[in-house]
Amino acid sequence: PLFTLDNTTTELKNLILKSKLKLLLTDKNSTEQDIISYNILSPNPKYGFHYSMTFKSGNDKSFAVNHIIKLLKNAVKVEIVDPYFDNNQFSANLALLDRFITNKTNQLEITCDVSNNLVNLKSRLISFGYTNTKCPQIPQNTHDRYIKANGVKIHLSSGFYALTQQNKELTYMVEIL
């Protein structure tokens, strides 16, 4: 280690407060109450390793789409959670889904809002070849939107549909599960 942390000094606390993340990375648990520390060797980490990219409105999102295609390649199960997946966006979302999923007989689970008529969504997906499909109702107060497959979770700040729209801002973040 660069230094041993027995008691956090005032100088170190001031240094932490000047840092971008206001966070002390350590190799052991800290009992300090007035700083935020994170044990990077913890078996149950609060923070993980994430990779993210932001696209402003008007930016081409093909990099994100191509990256997600690679992340989902050969996935046996794909889970999509997006409350708005079927809100007048089905055609655009289906076209993108067809790019993401190469084997339509593998397991697909799309969780979205019940007001979108989940039975109809499931039957439409089956009619387009997604024969192993589930469409559970999204839990109340869920706003997060993500795709989960192959040991990664891809968070989509503006949802699945934003990947298809040039006029939408989007940040996507890849989390290793």
Side-chain angles (χ1 to χ4, degrees):
L2 295 175
F3 61 88
T4 303
L5 180 66
D6 296 320
N7 291 317
T8 308
T9 65
T10 302
E11 185 178 9
L12 182 57
K13 289 177 186 178
N14 289 336
L15 185 62
I16 293 166
L17 292 174
K18 290 179 182 177
S19 72
K20 288 270 187 201
L21 297 178
K22 315 294 187 237
L23 177 72
L24 175 65
L25 301 178
T26 66
D27 61 356
K28 62 182 179 179
N29 292 328
S30 172
T31 57
E32 290 289 335
Q33 298 297 314
D34 56 343
I35 63 165
I36 298 172
S37 64
Y38 174 62
N39 180 351
I40 59 174
L41 302 178
S42 171
N44 299 310
K46 292 184 261 183
Y47 305 101
F49 295 103
H50 304 89
Y51 306 93
S52 65
M53 186 172 277
T54 298
F55 298 87
K56 299 291 183 195
S57 178
N59 290 147
D60 178 30
K61 296 177 186 74
S62 61
F63 180 90
V65 169
N66 290 330
H67 187 204
I68 294 169
I69 288 169
K70 287 178 180 23
L71 291 169
L72 300 182
K73 186 175 178 147
N74 300 321
V76 175
K77 178 182 180 183
V78 176
E79 178 185 348
I80 299 170
V81 175
D82 187 337
Y84 308 102
F85 186 87
D86 195 28
N87 278 0
N88 302 318
Q89 304 163 355
F90 182 76
S91 296
N93 285 342
L94 180 65
L96 190 56
L97 196 62
D98 284 345
R99 292 184 65 194
F100 287 165
I101 299 177
T102 53
N103 185 348
K104 291 183 178 185
T105 62
N106 286 346
Q107 193 173 359
L108 172 64
E109 186 172 303
I110 298 179
T111 305
C112 64
D113 189 14
V114 72
S115 66
N116 298 337
N117 193 352
L118 297 177
V119 175
N120 188 28
L121 174 61
K122 182 178 179 176
S123 64
R124 283 185 288 153
L125 287 166
I126 290 171
S127 75
F128 284 101
Y130 294 95
T131 55
N132 191 4
T133 301
K134 293 181 184 175
C135 295
Q137 179 179 346
I138 200 160
Q140 193 173 14
N141 298 324
T142 298
H143 183 73
D144 284 1
R145 304 166 201 188
Y146 58 86
I147 304 166
K148 200 169 16 174
N150 287 341
V152 296
K153 185 175 185 180
I154 306 155
H155 301 265
L156 303 167
S157 66
S158 301
F160 199 84
Y161 183 65
L163 286 164
T164 69
Q165 301 300 300
Q166 290 287 72
N167 64 340
K168 301 273 186 191
E169 186 174 285
L170 171 77
T171 298
Y172 82 103
M173 179 177 62
V174 180
E175 173 185 5
I176 300 168
L177 301 174

